[in-house]
Amino acid sequence: MFSGLIKFLDNENQLAGVLGHEIAHADRRHSTQQLQQQYGTSLLLGLILGNRSSNQLVQIAAGLGQLKFSRSFETEADKYSTIYLNGTRYYSCDGAAGFFIKAEKQGAAGTPNF
């Protein structure tokens, strides 16, 4: 969290939604899983391709395999954010949705500036 992101948010529900999304990444151990898969993919490709390939080729191939993996983590974090917030009396469970809709609209002209 940083001040630029907080200033971008319209209300407390959006803040709670974004925090819930980030907490879900930690709770579901997405970083650890992603590192394990990336290391395993790089190791496997290195063994298959051997010394004939450049390290850069291995990194590119491993990175391409990560795209779907990362999207599934984002979807899971969204899901758990709503689950976490659904149990509260003070925050709407769809707070993150408002943030992402706003960011997507601004992102149509480029990356949102936080």
Side-chain angles (χ1 to χ4, degrees), residues 36-77:
Q36 287 174 334
Q37 179 164 344
Q38 186 174 3
Y39 178 73
T41 302
S42 295
L43 180 65
L44 183 61
L45 287 171
L47 290 172
I48 292 170
L49 298 174
N51 291 333
R52 298 174 298 164
S53 67
S54 70
N55 190 28
Q56 186 176 14
L57 178 62
V58 171
Q59 289 176 353
I60 291 170
L64 289 173
Q66 293 297 104
L67 291 176
K68 184 174 188 242
F69 197 62
S70 296
R71 287 185 193 117
S72 68
F73 282 161
E74 293 303 324
T75 300
E76 186 176 38

Side-chain angles (χ1 to χ4, degrees), residues 6 26 29 33 54 63-64 86 89 111:
I6 293 171
R29 301 187 182 273
Q33 291 178 44
S54 70
L64 289 173
N86 191 40
R89 289 189 283 171
T111 304

Side-chain angles (χ1 to χ4, degrees), residues 64-104:
L64 289 173
Q66 293 297 104
L67 291 176
K68 184 174 188 242
F69 197 62
S70 296
R71 287 185 193 117
S72 68
F73 282 161
E74 293 303 324
T75 300
E76 186 176 38
D78 291 341
K79 172 186 167 186
Y80 276 87
S81 175
T82 60
I83 290 170
Y84 299 153
L85 292 173
N86 191 40
T88 69
R89 289 189 283 171
Y90 303 106
Y91 301 108
S92 171
C93 64
D94 66 348
F99 163 76
F100 289 121
I101 290 167
K102 183 178 179 181
E104 183 178 29

